[in-house]
């Protein structure tokens, strides 16, 4: 018996500088804000689901690249302590290694990345994970170092990849 999971709802990206990361994901990568940016003090319920303790102020935005607000979204989060400083995350904590984002046109994507002086980690390279399935992958990092694979799936049209 399975859990009945139907799809990924969202992924969290915790950032050290909210405005810098918001600008990167919206202006550079073209994400759209769902609703509005909101700030709040983490109440007990929010602290429980994120395993956050103590006085923590949060700033958050829900971002999407879809026209459907019910589609998978990116939850951009910033946590600050009582002094307004980012809550530290240690290098010992495992976490998200990378995000894969599908693009329509790798040539246009690479031009936009270069236009905004975003350093390229690798690519674009063409991978063939199985016969007849190709993907062009460009790897960059967000302002906090999260690795992003921008992927084009030329033979799939509008499929998931």
């Amino acid at each position: 018996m399975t859990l009945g999971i139907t799809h990924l709802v969202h992924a969290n990206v915790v950032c050290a500088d909210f405005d810098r990361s918001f600008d990167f994901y919206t202006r550079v990568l073209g994400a759209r804000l769902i609703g509005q940016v909101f700030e709040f003090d983490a109440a007990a319920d929010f602290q429980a689901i994120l395993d956050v303790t103590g006085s923590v102020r949060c700033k958050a935005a829900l971002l999407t690249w879809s026209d459907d607000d019910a589609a998978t979204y990116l939850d951009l989060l910033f946590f600050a302590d009582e002094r307004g400083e980012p809550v530290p995350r240690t290098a010992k904590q495992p976490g998200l290694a990378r995000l894969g984002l599908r693009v329509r046109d790798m040539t246009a994507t690479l031009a936009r990345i270069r236009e905004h002086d975003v350093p390229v980690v690798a690519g674009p390279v063409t991978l063939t994970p199985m016969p007849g399935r190709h993907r062009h992958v460009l790897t960059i990092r967000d302002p906090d170092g999260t690795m992003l694979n921008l992927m084009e799936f030329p033979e799939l049209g509008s499929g998931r990849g």
Side-chain angles (χ1 to χ4, degrees), residues 56-112:
V56 177
R57 181 100 180 124
C58 302
K59 190 170 185 179
L62 305 179
L63 306 175
T64 186
W65 288 271
S66 174
D67 292 332
D68 178 4
D69 285 353
T72 301
Y73 60 89
L74 183 75
D75 191 356
L76 186 65
L77 293 166
F78 171 76
F79 297 103
D81 63 18
E82 58 277 350
R83 298 179 319 259
E85 296 295 320
V87 174
R89 184 169 188 211
T90 72
K92 295 186 297 184
Q93 293 171 311
L96 183 65
R98 63 190 165 109
L99 287 174
L101 302 170
R102 186 168 180 183
V103 301
R104 288 187 181 94
D105 180 337
M106 184 57 71
T107 302
T109 298
L110 184 57
R112 183 163 182 88

Side-chain angles (χ1 to χ4, degrees), residues 4-23:
I5 295 171
T6 61
H7 68 279
L8 177 67
V9 175
H10 67 88
N12 289 125
V13 171
V14 177
C15 56
D17 180 326
F18 183 87
D19 294 333
R20 178 184 68 178
S21 292
F22 183 82
D23 179 69

